[in-house]
Amino acid sequence: MSVLVVGSLALDTIETPFGSVKDTVGGSATYISAAASYFFSPVRIVGIVGGDFPREGVAFLEERNIDLEGLEIIEKGKTFHWAGRYRYDLNERDTLSTDLNVFEKFDPKIPERHRKSRFVVLGNIDPVLQQRVLRQMDNPRVVICDTMNYWIERKNKELLETLKQINVLILNDSEARLLSREPNLIKAGKVIRAMGPSVVIIKKGEHGALLLTESVIFSAPAYPMENIFDPTGAGDTFAGGFAGWLARTDDLSEENLKRAVIYGSTLASFCVEKFGVEGLRGLTYLQIQDRFRQFRELSRFDED
Ligand code: AMP
C-alpha cells in the first residue's frame, strides 16, 4: 500500500478572533500528509516551494517521516502565500490574498517510484494540475480529491473534467452548493456524484460531515470543542485522516468509509486546537483512539 499527496505547501497569514500569525507553514499538502502520516507511513508528498520556505517546515514533514523526494525547491522563487481572516463565527472565512508565486509555473512531476501509489490524494490545487498528476499515475486504486470555491469559480470546466477521474470528492457545504447549484445538501451530493465521484463527503464545519454514496447517507457529528484557535487546515486534515485510515486498512467497505470519516474528524479536531500545523505535532496513538471513541458516544442513545 502507498499514499501519494499532491497539493500546496504554503506560508499562511492567518487572523482569527483569538490571535494572528504571519507566514506560518501551511498548505493543503502539508496538512493532508501530516494527518495521513498518523495512520500510514511513509506518506509521499509532491509539491513546490520557494527558497523562503523555512527549515522548520521541512523539519515538520521530516518528523512525520514524510517522503520528500517529490518536493521541488525553487531557490530563487517565492513560496505560495495565502492570507485569510476568520470572523467571530469561525465557519466564516474571508480570503484576503492568494499569491500563487512558484505555484504559477508548477508542473507536478511524479517520481518514477511513486507512480504506482495505490492511494492518491489530490489536495486543493488547480484542477488542471490535478489532471496532470493523474496522467502520470499507474492505475491507482483510489483517488481522493479536495477542491474549493476558488477553483469552482475560476476553473469550472477543468474541475468537471477532474471529477470524472476520481473516486472520492471532499468539499465543504458552501462549495457543494456552489458546484451543484443545489441548496439542499443531500440533493447536492447526488448532483455531484453524477459528475463522477462515487463517494462525496460534505464537510459542515463545526456541524460535522455527511458521507454520501449510492446506498449510504451517514451523518458524522463534529467533536464539540470549547477551544478552537484556528480552523485553517481542518478540511485538509480531515482529508488526510480519511485517506490515511483507508490506506492503512485497505478496506473500502461502507462501514470502513464511515470509520474513515470519524478518523478524519478526529484529526481535524486536534488541528484546530492550535495555530497552523502545531496541532498536528506529536499526537499519540492513544490520544487519537481516545477521541475516536468519544465520537461514538456523541450520538449514542438508548431506544427506551
Ligand atoms: P483548509 O482550511 O483546509 O481549507 O485549508 C487551508 C490551507 O489551504 C491553507 O494552508 C492554504 O495555504 C491553502 N490554500 C488556500 N487557498 C488555496 C488555493 N487556492 N490553492 C491551494 N491551496 C490553498
Side-chain angles (χ1 to χ4, degrees), residues 145 147 152 155-169 171 175-182 187-200:
C145 178
T147 193
I152 298 172
K155 296 271 177 98
N156 196 271
K157 202 159 67 55
E158 294 82 351
L159 179 62
L160 292 180
E161 200 44 53
T162 298
L163 293 185
K164 289 183 196 151
Q165 301 170 41
I166 65 163
N167 308 98
V168 183
L169 180 68
L171 72 183
E175 292 156 357
R177 292 187 175 107
L178 185 68
L179 177 62
S180 64
R181 297 166 198 262
E182 169 56 61
K187 288 186 186 160
K190 277 192 189 156
V191 172
I192 297 169
R193 286 189 57 254
M195 294 171 175
S198 57
V199 177
V200 172

Side-chain angles (χ1 to χ4, degrees), residues 246 249 251:
L246 288 186
T249 52
D251 170 0

Side-chain angles (χ1 to χ4, degrees), residues 8 10 12 26-27 31 80 82 93 124 148 150-151 231-236:
S8 57
D12 290 340
Y31 284 102
F80 171 81
W82 175 80
R93 169 166 92 186
N124 161 33
M148 73 185 299
Y150 187 86
W151 304 115
T232 308
D236 300 314

